[in-house]
Amino acid sequence: MRLRLDISYDGTHFRGWARQPGLRTVQGVLEEALARILGGDPRLVVAGRTDAGVHASGQVAHLDLDDAQQARLPRRRREGDEGDAVAALAGRVRGVLGAYPDVTVHRSSCAPEGFDARFSAVWRRYSYRIADAQAGYEPLERLRTTSVRASLDVDAMHAAAQRLIGLHDFAAYCKAREEATTIRTLLEYDWRRGDDGILIANVRADAFCHSMVRALVGACVAVGEGRLEVDDVIKIRDEGRRTADSKVLAARGLVLAEVGYPADALLAARAAQTRNRRDADDIGA
């Protein structure tokens, strides 16, 4: 049996998503809670691994249960109702995590046939929050908002963000990983200033390379500060190398907000397509 879990967390005190020996991670905390309930060695597969300090409000993972673990699913009043037992699991996990945890499971459900939390996803959406000199500093928001001393030109930042949309090689905006492709389709990238003065980025792509969102944000901040021109973000991308004027911003402002999936009938096909590595020839296709 495969389950889907909908998860959110404050990443401040986690060393990222992925389990690491001796370190507190989101995956590690959740798998330990699941093991207490279900027994065995539960392993989560996640839609997108987040770095240390990055938050999530719309993370998705899947979990495969063997027969023994299925037998230990918590039951509600309608004894024997498999879907009801699966839905009750989220509540049991929340109980194990205790009051005011920094990670929670909002919903647990039976995954449709062909569902893979990582490979079936068609896009991921992130948001990023910045408090500049115009917005000011709010202590209650410090764990999810990055501070920038300058007063940023949000219109210039938005214009630069729009230039980057499309299918491209984003190597200049990624942390290099051996044999990993950096070709991505950036579907949306825009900036606005909220009613409270906070600058908010909306970034959506089919997938993201390591540190890609924070690097894209850093490039637009450089534009907002006047250190780069709007079209410089394209030059950086096309030259395939980073510049000292464009920095990777802090993790605290970044939230994985949403993961998109196709209709149930297309889940397996999407997973197979995603597993096919893209190369430079795909950009001109």
Side-chain angles (χ1 to χ4, degrees), residues 24 42 53 57 114 118 125 127 134 160 171 197 211 219 246:
R24 185 173 186 264
S57 60
R118 177 185 177 190
R125 184 190 304 278
S127 65
Q134 182 175 330
S211 79
S246 176

Side-chain angles (χ1 to χ4, degrees), residues 169-174 182 215 236-243 246:
D169 188 340
F170 286 95
Y173 295 108
C174 298
T182 51
I236 293 169
R237 182 196 66 203
D238 292 345
E239 290 175 359
R241 58 182 178 82
R242 294 190 182 184
T243 172
S246 176

